[in-house]
Amino acid sequence: MHKQITYTGMIWLLAAQVVVMLPFLFDLPIWLLPVLLFAAGWRLRVLSGAALQPGNVIKALLIVLGIGGLVLSGLKFPSLDAMATLLLLGFAFKSLEVAQRRDALVVIFIGYFLVALHFLYAQSITAALYGMVSMIVLTGALIGVQQSVAEFSAGQQVRFNLRLSVFMLLQCLPLMLVIFVFAPRLPPLWSLPMPTGQAKMGVSDRMASGDIEKLSQSDALAFRVTFKGRKPAQHELYWRGMVFNHFDGREWRQFERDIDPQQVQSALLTNYRWQPDALRVQGEPIAYEAVYEKTGQPWLFTLTPAVEVEGDVLRGADYRVMARQDLQAPFLLKAVSYPYSQRDLELAPELRQLALHLPETGDARTRDLAQRLWRETGTEQAYLDRVLARFRDQRFEYTLKPPTLSASDTIDAFLFESQRGFCAHYAGSFVFLMRAAGIPARVVVGYQGGEWNAAGDYLAIHQYDAHAWAEVWLAGQGWVRVDPTTMVAPSRTEQGLEAAMQAEGSFLADSMFSVRKIVWLNGIRQQLDTVQYGWRRWVLGYDGAEQAALLKSLLGTFSVQGVALLMGGLLAAIGLLWLVLLGMTPRREREALEHQLYRRFCAALAKRGVLREPGDAPGVFAAQAAEALPAVAGVIREFTQVYEGICYVPSADGRQATRRLKALLGKLR
């Protein structure tokens, strides 16, 4: 433990530190890597005699500078980002004082902890594979700082360390699987605020002109869905997220004032509770499982209405489904929806008031239009049809590049001037026209459609599938979904956004390097996505409920005694396997490199007709071979001389001699 670390050991340590720190640079301050390289570079210069060991004053100054950089980075304290950055700073600065094996072991053990810590930032299969590589390099460094084989060259030593590292980690694999499958899923005893430096993704909690069309230029994955029975048609796939009731003249929001997700949860538990009695279930059910990507937001997206839901979620009177925590990791939801059910045949007064709210002033031309059309029709259904026909028959266009509307009277500007817009324009203006005529209506945002992955038999919904539509309340029917966008671009809901934008050519126009736009890569992309979905579903989605279901299927009935017996048997089997691998099977002695080369030497001469008898000494055999093969006699004598020198002269330079043997052997082939 007190033995001085070698220059080679320090190189191993630096390589392990760089490998461990690299993935954190996507989420934490990038200046951490130069700090590590500076500290390790200084230590290497000390080991080579080119610099002096830093004193306590310099160390204290570096610590102050590091903490100052941490403060200037603007990270909130306490938070996971701040604590991880502080640990990485210590991890980097530790290189300055690594002098003995004990110091190196401290660095390596911190490295193991950091590999696990990074899974709080990324849980993809790529992150898992990189974590395995980090473990291999760290274990190779652990081997490298404690032992070296004198006769190995530098390359051979690296290969030996890595090969031994892989073998050691493979031995741990059975135990890891047992712990993963059977260890209880317990809640954390304490927690820190989750990463704050990551931008929130996906549909926002408000809708203004231009928001959804910007989101539709992203091919990032939103969630995946597996259906347990019938797969709905494309036009049925309306994935409900949030409901916007309040319009201030420019943007739509959930409530009159901005509230955070925790306050939304409180509202769903008090004023807007889920009311199952308001739902008349009818029609064919659709059962499915959805795995949502990390977004930093709590919004979930389901087919309306989701009658049966499994997961830690809240449901509201407006039929939304919301996670109790922001999604900082993939989230699994199981649901059964009845899309043809009747909702709220009797509309509660508070919901009616929300669904009729309009600003006191503004958009006068739209209000006048609503009054005129209502006088001409006189019934709710006729008025609704007349408004939809206006979108269809006039020169409205569906575009991802709508013109900028004026700061005030945005509905007027869209309906009477530009007449070019995206789904948000059509849904917002339609709801305004309904409310102006006294018909309860609201805007719903979420996603529409999705891409079917035949290889994995699931539906992938991307950010470019973001969509806004409307719901109107009609007497005797309850809430009815109406999508005015279909009057202008019916292909949007039948075939997807790409088909709707084919003529305009604006689909993913801002994503120059999107793989989605490269047709011949689509098959590979879907195969890779299938693998990623399997990882999300069966590894990251393996929670307490999945564990209980598996144990019940294995044991018949779930019991603590049964689980304990099963785990005990598996652990005993693993222990027996280790005994077999590590001690009970006969081991073949490793043949020295020079002896391997001499056997090849004899085989090369045998091909030339000179065979070595088992009792012939190397010198005797060399004399016979030189006499029989005078053309290579010099090579034969020199090879034998070098070989005997390695075997019988302890002072010989083993590495240089073996390299000479390889060179001479090459002349005989």
Side-chain angles (χ1 to χ4, degrees):
M1 292 293 291
H2 296 283
K3 185 176 179 180
Q4 294 291 317
I5 188 171
T6 64
Y7 190 87
T8 302
M10 191 63 202
I11 293 293
W12 268 104
L13 205 59
L14 172 59
Q17 285 182 290
V18 171
V19 169
V20 169
M21 288 186 68
L22 275 178
F24 285 96
L25 303 184
F26 293 99
D27 305 290
L28 299 177
I30 198 170
W31 52 261
L32 289 169
L33 183 60
V35 167
L36 169 63
L37 297 177
F38 167 78
W42 192 333
R43 186 61 198 160
L44 289 174
R45 286 174 59 82
V46 171
L47 289 175
S48 64
L52 297 176
Q53 177 75 18
N56 292 333
V57 175
I58 294 179
K59 290 180 182 178
L61 178 61
L62 291 174
I63 291 174
V64 171
L65 290 175
I67 295 177
L70 178 60
V71 173
L72 293 176
S73 297
L75 300 177
K76 183 180 178 181
F77 189 87
S79 68
L80 179 63
D81 286 346
M83 302 303 289
T85 302
L86 189 61
L87 180 59
L88 287 165
L89 195 61
F91 184 62
F93 278 148
K94 184 64 179 176
S95 300
L96 285 172
E97 59 179 11
V98 171
Q100 299 175 339
R101 284 181 178 174
R102 177 181 57 191
D103 303 316
L105 293 180
V106 171
V107 173
I108 291 171
F109 293 153
I110 294 175
Y112 284 128
F113 179 79
L114 286 171
V115 171
L117 178 65
H118 185 254
F119 286 108
L120 294 178
Y121 289 88
Q123 298 88 28
S124 66
I125 192 170
T126 305
L129 293 174
Y130 190 88
M132 292 171 58
V133 172
S134 301
M135 292 288 290
I136 292 171
V137 176
L138 276 168
T139 308
L142 181 63
I143 298 168
V145 299
Q146 297 194 79
Q147 70 176 25
S148 62
V149 183
E151 63 268 22
F152 281 177
S153 64
Q156 290 173 325
Q157 185 69 58
V158 170
R159 289 192 294 272
F160 172 78
N161 289 357
L162 294 179
R163 186 166 55 248
L164 181 58
S165 172
V166 171
F167 179 69
M168 293 172 65
L169 293 174
L170 286 176
Q171 290 177 342
C172 301
L173 184 61
L175 182 60
M176 180 199 73
L177 292 175
V178 170
I179 293 174
F180 174 79
V181 173
F182 297 104
R185 264 48 181 173
L186 301 175
L189 299 177
W190 56 274
S191 63
L192 287 171
M194 291 301 288
T196 57
Q198 301 175 10
K200 294 182 182 294
M201 299 173 58
V203 174
S204 174
D205 58 355
R206 58 177 62 199
M207 184 184 79
S209 175
D211 287 349
I212 295 184
E213 53 262 38
K214 291 178 182 177
L215 191 62
S216 295
Q217 291 292 355
S218 170
D219 64 350
L221 184 71
F223 56 100
R224 302 180 182 91
V225 179
T226 300
F227 295 98
K228 294 186 176 180
R230 178 184 72 89
K231 173 185 173 293
Q234 187 80 0
H235 67 271
E236 298 178 279
L237 296 173
Y238 281 83
W239 303 100
R240 184 191 200 88
M242 286 165 286
V243 174
F244 294 154
N245 280 301
H246 186 76
F247 182 61
D248 62 3
R250 183 158 185 83
E251 67 178 12
W252 291 86
R253 296 195 300 269
Q254 300 180 78
F255 302 99
E256 183 174 0
R257 60 184 181 86
D258 288 332
I259 60 176
D260 58 35
Q262 286 71 31
Q263 292 172 309
V264 174
Q265 291 185 18
S266 178
L268 294 183
L269 290 171
T270 54
N271 300 331
Y272 304 103
R273 292 177 63 90
W274 160 250
Q275 301 290 339
D277 294 339
L279 180 67
R280 180 180 293 177
V281 176
Q282 61 185 27
E284 182 183 0
I286 299 176
Y288 53 95
E289 296 180 356
V291 179
Y292 302 90
E293 294 295 299
K294 177 177 69 174
T295 61
Q297 302 188 96
W299 321 124
L300 302 177
F301 304 90
T302 60
L303 300 177
T304 302
V307 178
E308 302 173 22
V309 178
E310 293 182 26
D312 190 15
V313 299
L314 294 172
R315 288 186 281 176
D318 55 8
Y319 300 94
R320 79 173 69 198
V321 179
M322 178 181 177
R324 293 181 181 270
Q325 302 291 334
D326 290 347
L327 302 188
Q328 300 293 352
F331 184 88
L332 173 65
L333 177 75
K334 299 179 181 180
V336 179
S337 296
Y338 289 80
Y340 297 101
S341 297
Q342 291 183 318
R343 295 171 287 145
D344 295 343
L345 292 176
E346 297 292 332
L347 188 60
E350 59 273 14
L351 293 181
R352 178 182 292 273
Q353 182 180 359
L354 279 175
L356 288 173
H357 174 271
L358 283 178
E360 294 182 2
T361 60
D363 297 298
R365 285 186 290 176
T366 303
R367 296 174 193 262
D368 291 341
L369 173 65
Q371 294 301 319
R372 179 172 61 82
L373 294 179
W374 177 255
R375 288 193 299 269
E376 294 175 0
T377 55
T379 65
E380 294 177 340
Q381 188 63 55
Y383 176 77
L384 188 154
D385 294 338
R386 183 73 174 272
V387 171
L388 292 177
R390 181 181 176 86
F391 285 124
R392 183 187 65 238
D393 299 337
Q394 294 198 6
R395 301 185 64 180
F396 284 92
E397 295 181 24
Y398 184 71
T399 176
L400 288 176
K401 300 177 180 179
T404 302
L405 301 178
S406 58
S408 60
D409 297 331
T410 56
I411 304 295
D412 282 355
F414 170 66
L415 289 178
F416 298 100
E417 296 171 13
S418 75
Q419 295 188 329
R420 301 178 68 244
F422 195 55
C423 59
H425 297 86
Y426 292 100
S429 59
F430 177 83
V431 169
F432 193 101
L433 283 166
M434 292 297 107
R435 292 184 175 188
I439 301 175
R442 57 195 184 187
V443 175
V444 183
V445 295
Y447 297 87
Q448 198 285 320
E451 179 188 23
W452 186 254
N453 188 312
D457 197 30
Y458 63 87
L459 190 76
I461 295 87
H462 300 84
Q463 297 299 346
Y464 56 72
D465 293 312
H467 194 56
W469 60 95
E471 285 184 341
V472 297
W473 189 87
L474 301 176
Q477 299 182 56
W479 288 109
V480 178
R481 182 181 69 233
V482 180
D483 190 351
T485 301
T486 59
M487 298 294 102
V488 184
S491 58
R492 169 62 185 89
T493 56
E494 294 291 343
Q495 299 171 275
L497 181 65
E498 184 175 9
M501 294 292 99
Q502 187 172 6
E504 185 178 78
S506 57
F507 178 70
L508 296 179
D510 296 338
S511 303
M512 295 179 59
F513 302 104
S514 172
V515 179
R516 181 68 177 80
K517 298 172 68 175
I518 306 175
V519 178
W520 62 272
L521 283 179
N522 277 343
I524 299 175
R525 175 180 59 84
Q526 290 200 344
Q527 290 288 349
L528 293 176
D529 193 68
T530 301
V531 175
Q532 184 69 22
Y533 177 61
W535 173 262
R536 287 277 195 266
R537 176 65 184 84
W538 302 111
V539 178
L540 300 182
Y542 185 72
D543 55 12
E546 291 287 329
Q547 185 184 52
L550 175 63
L551 292 176
K552 187 175 180 180
S553 65
L554 291 175
L555 301 174
T557 57
F558 180 80
S559 66
V560 176
Q561 296 84 352
V563 174
L565 288 174
L566 180 59
M567 285 194 67
L570 291 172
L571 292 175
I574 292 172
L576 180 61
L577 177 64
W578 284 349
L579 289 175
V580 171
L581 290 176
L582 299 178
M584 296 179 62
T585 56
R587 291 187 170 185
R588 182 173 62 87
E589 292 293 334
R590 180 180 178 84
E591 186 178 24
L593 179 59
E594 61 270 19
H595 299 323
Q596 296 178 35
L597 294 174
Y598 188 73
R599 285 194 297 102
R600 297 178 192 172
F601 168 76
C602 295
L605 293 180
K607 292 180 180 179
R608 293 173 176 254
V610 182
L611 299 176
R612 175 175 177 261
E613 296 297 331
D616 289 347
V620 174
F621 178 62
Q624 296 173 355
E627 182 178 354
L629 303 170
V632 290
V635 175
I636 294 172
R637 292 191 182 96
E638 183 179 358
F639 185 97
T640 304
Q641 182 180 2
V642 174
Y643 173 67
E644 289 180 333
I646 296 175
C647 295
Y648 304 119
V649 183
S651 61
D653 186 343
R655 292 184 180 178
Q656 184 177 355
T658 51
R659 284 196 292 268
R660 183 57 183 163
L661 288 179
K662 292 178 181 178
L664 293 169
L665 185 60
K667 296 180 180 181
L668 291 177
R669 292 178 176 174

